[in-house]
Amino acid sequence: MGPIIGPKNGLEKSLPYNTVMSHITPLCLIYYCYGSSKPSSIPGPDPSTEQDGNLPDISRAGSLHEYLLDLHKTYGDIASFWMGRQFVVSICSPELFKEHQNVFDRPPELFKLFETFLGPKSIQYANKGDGRKRRNNYDKMLAHEKLKEYYHIFQNVADDLEKKWGQLVKEEHIPLGQYMSAFAIKVVLNTLFGEYFTTDKEILAFRRNYDICWSELERSLTDQPDPDSPRVKAFEDANKIITSLIKKAIEHRKKVPPNSDSELLIDSLIDNASDEEELLSDAITYAVGGFHTTGNVLTWGFYFLATHEDFQEKAVKEIKQVLGNENVDASNMSRLKYLHQILDETMRCAVVAPWAARFQDFDSELGGHKIPKNTPVIHALGVSLQNEKYFPLPNKFDPDRFNTENSKGRPSMAFQPFGFAGKRVCPGYRFAYAEAIVCLVTLLRKFKVKMVEGQVVTPVHGLVTHPEEEIWVKIQKR
Ligand code: HEM
């Protein structure tokens, strides 16, 4: 799961929501509580106002990612700024990422807004021994060996989607984001939670209610609802339904325990969580973290292919050469090199998860500067992904950047779309590649995907980067 930040707006705009729902503590409110004299030699702007720090500048930039692009351009690879009265450091170079690569703890305040969904005991906020222990327990369920068992589920879901697209008449306009997010939800719930989510009824309920919650959270950042408004009620009702769906899946699994050789993530959560609240929070975290990003990667991926017919045809050629009529599985997946390049270039060009963050509860050093204890340090992953030094013409979509020849000499730390620090890289990264490649193969070998003309596609750098409006495509049978 990527970081939380308002879409196309400033952090200060998350303030109003707090007045509506006391259990959401907006980022800026937290930062107002700290003191404000510059505690380090790290270059950076003065606060615009004593109270808000640089929050108004972030708002003007459009998003934290866009602000960080400007900040690093002006002040270099390590820069500081103020979120309210909190001093914050941001780094964006492979060398500085390397210096921070052993830091595990995440500053919980930066992710507070999401607590309504995930619950206070989510792994998202678990640090030190507790966080490491949980990762140790749950990472196994998404590891390379385990993944082999999931390919047939990815394939079933992709086949369903192919069938649905096949029934759509030629020239019908298809809402790409909706289809890709439904695919990603179905995949993640089927693989991690077992048979409770095999019927469309539960999947649709999850998706519908997730959409209500998420769009309300985003909307509330700029447009505060009245405490008694139907919007607040709708949000709370939808949130309850998501919680109750996950609770039911957990209860169902407890009643019908699996054989020891068919354990899923949900079983590991049931066995290891310290109490019911932690179990529920982590189940929701993996469910949500598992689809939101991948759904957007697939949406952006098909968008780039629909706008670059030559790359789409090159992908189809590779599929034919490597697979013939076979499906993707663990044995042939790594030979689909061009499809991997397409996914990497999609995550880079669309900046799907713009930043991560860490902190240390002791004074430390970074890039030769002192970092006072408890200072949040942002990993500007997205700034690095758009660094001209490593990715010339960074806004150009070009999967060949990632072929062996063109990757020579580029430090691996320059491309870290899943985070990198403290062995806390996204636990779902292998899972994400595998499900996305199954989806691309299944649809591309059957359909030519084209854009519906006349659309302006604008990215919104929120929690993950998503298109401002639905992207409409048309398909043609091959
Ligand atoms: C292309 C798709 C994905 C992208 C770009 C992505 C990106 C990220 C990033 C940047 C982080 C934060 C890492 C850090 O703090 O350094 C993260 C964390 C996380 N991701 Fe992903 N992710 C993706 C897919 C998935 C999938 C498929 C799952 C689950 C099946 C998942 C589950 C999680 C969880 C649970 C965390 C929090 C882990 C922790 O607190 O230690 N993600 N992801």
Side-chain angles (χ1 to χ4, degrees):
M1 174 160 324
I4 308 304
I5 209 80
K8 282 221 131 196
N9 48 44
L11 300 170
E12 82 282 17
K13 291 186 179 150
S14 62
L15 256 175
Y17 211 62
N18 197 44
T19 61
V20 180
M21 303 183 73
S22 57
H23 49 303
I24 296 177
T25 311
L27 204 50
C28 44
L29 194 67
I30 296 154
Y31 290 126
Y32 289 152
C33 304
Y34 292 78
S36 77
S37 66
K38 190 170 182 173
S40 166
S41 57
I42 296 173
D46 289 332
S48 285
T49 72
E50 198 187 332
Q51 177 86 339
D52 294 341
N54 302 107
L55 292 171
D57 307 323
I58 297 172
S59 179
R60 264 191 299 276
S63 67
L64 183 61
H65 168 63
E66 285 150 304
Y67 177 74
L68 293 175
L69 280 171
D70 282 349
L71 182 83
H72 285 294
K73 203 167 179 188
T74 312
Y75 295 99
D77 292 345
I78 181 162
S80 64
F81 63 103
W82 299 84
M83 283 180 164
R85 292 185 171 164
Q86 171 67 49
F87 182 69
V88 178
V89 170
S90 176
I91 55 175
C92 71
S93 71
E95 297 76 20
L96 290 162
F97 285 172
K98 219 167 191 178
E99 281 190 47
H100 229 228
Q101 72 181 344
N102 293 323
V103 185
F104 183 85
D105 293 341
R106 214 178 258 141
E109 300 88 342
L110 262 68
F111 303 90
K112 204 76 176 163
L113 180 67
F114 215 39
E115 210 177 286
T116 347
F117 275 130
L118 306 180
K121 291 198 175 175
S122 160
I123 189 168
Q124 185 75 14
Y125 313 108
N127 283 331
K128 302 202 178 298
D130 176 33
R132 289 177 196 274
K133 195 176 96 202
R134 288 201 228 174
R135 283 297 299 258
N136 207 27
N137 288 331
Y138 306 144
D139 280 5
K140 291 177 209 133
M141 293 300 162
L142 296 167
H144 180 66
E145 273 307 302
K146 193 70 192 165
L147 211 58
K148 291 179 182 168
E149 298 168 24
Y150 302 150
Y151 277 90
H152 73 280
I153 304 179
F154 300 159
Q155 192 59 59
N156 287 343
V157 182
D159 286 343
D160 271 359
L161 180 54
E162 186 229 304
K163 221 177 271 164
K164 277 190 189 127
W165 276 22
Q167 286 157 2
L168 299 173
V169 285
K170 196 176 151 204
E171 299 298 314
E172 185 163 339
H173 294 181
I174 293 180
L176 184 61
Q178 272 186 47
Y179 273 101
M180 291 306 127
S181 105
F183 171 83
I185 292 176
K186 215 168 180 175
V187 158
V188 96
L189 295 181
N190 281 189
T191 45
L192 305 186
F193 290 85
E195 72 253 31
Y196 183 75
F197 283 110
T198 44
T199 68
D200 273 359
K201 193 172 147 239
E202 278 78 19
I203 303 271
L204 281 175
F206 189 92
R207 182 171 144 227
R208 206 175 29 249
N209 289 290
Y210 178 82
D211 283 350
I212 293 171
C213 286
W214 184 245
S215 54
E216 175 52 36
L217 263 185
E218 288 201 331
R219 188 173 165 197
S220 68
L221 294 166
T222 48
D223 174 11
Q224 178 194 9
D226 184 82
D228 301 321
S229 80
R231 275 172 55 191
V232 173
K233 172 105 175 54
F235 174 89
E236 288 174 345
D237 288 349
N239 203 9
K240 269 188 209 143
I241 292 172
I242 288 172
T243 308
S244 123
L245 280 168
I246 297 284
K247 258 189 188 156
K248 279 185 196 156
I250 294 170
E251 291 317 312
H252 178 80
R253 194 72 179 176
K254 280 182 179 169
K255 274 189 211 136
V256 193
N259 304 324
S260 60
D261 60 350
S262 54
E263 283 201 343
L264 302 177
L265 179 90
I266 191 171
D267 305 307
S268 182
L269 293 173
I270 291 169
D271 291 346
N272 292 294
S274 62
D275 59 30
E276 289 300 310
E277 197 180 6
E278 185 181 304
L279 167 57
L280 185 64
S281 296
D282 278 348
I284 294 174
T285 304
Y286 276 86
V288 169
F291 82 82
H292 200 128
T293 38
T294 344
N296 275 298
V297 167
L298 279 166
T299 304
W300 286 117
F302 276 108
Y303 162 71
F304 287 129
L305 293 178
T307 47
H308 296 83
E309 204 183 333
D310 44 345
F311 299 144
Q312 190 176 154
E313 293 316 306
K314 205 168 159 186
V316 173
K317 199 170 158 200
E318 179 181 80
I319 295 168
K320 278 187 190 148
Q321 274 172 358
V322 174
L323 298 178
N325 293 324
E326 297 294 305
N327 283 335
V328 185
D329 60 28
S331 70
N332 55 30
M333 161 86 179
S334 64
R335 286 193 283 129
L336 293 162
K337 292 200 186 332
Y338 192 65
L339 287 186
H340 279 88
Q341 285 172 223
I342 287 175
L343 286 177
D344 285 348
E345 180 63 348
T346 296
M347 287 186 280
R348 190 202 67 77
C349 205
V351 192
V352 173
W355 54 275
R358 293 291 186 270
F359 83 108
Q360 288 171 292
D361 57 1
F362 50 87
D363 292 342
S364 58
E365 270 201 16
L366 185 53
H369 296 275
K370 284 214 163 73
I371 308 283
K373 68 176 179 181
N374 296 330
T375 303
V377 175
I378 289 180
H379 298 163
L381 309 172
V383 176
S384 180
L385 296 177
Q386 301 192 328
N387 185 342
E388 287 183 345
K389 190 169 153 195
Y390 303 116
F391 305 104
L393 301 174
N395 293 323
K396 186 175 169 213
F397 179 81
D398 177 10
D400 285 328
R401 291 176 197 279
F402 287 98
N403 69 24
T404 316
E405 185 58 28
N406 293 338
S407 302
K408 271 185 200 152
R410 184 190 303 134
S412 59
M413 275 292 185
F415 178 73
Q416 296 295 332
F418 296 98
F420 60 85
K423 300 206 174 90
R424 204 171 192 177
V425 57
C426 166
Y429 77 97
R430 288 189 200 87
F431 187 102
Y433 278 112
E435 69 163 300
I437 286 191
V438 169
C439 183
L440 286 169
V441 166
T442 309
L443 295 179
L444 287 178
R445 71 181 4 161
K446 287 281 161 66
F447 306 107
K448 230 178 216 180
V449 184
K450 292 186 172 180
M451 290 295 285
V452 171
E453 293 78 19
Q455 296 176 82
V456 178
V457 175
T458 311
V460 177
H461 301 289
L463 159 66
V464 293
T465 301
H466 61 86
E468 189 168 37
E469 282 168 19
E470 182 57 279
I471 297 177
W472 294 89
V473 292
K474 344 178 244 198
I475 50 168
Q476 252 173 21
K477 283 191 183 159
R478 284 188 186 276

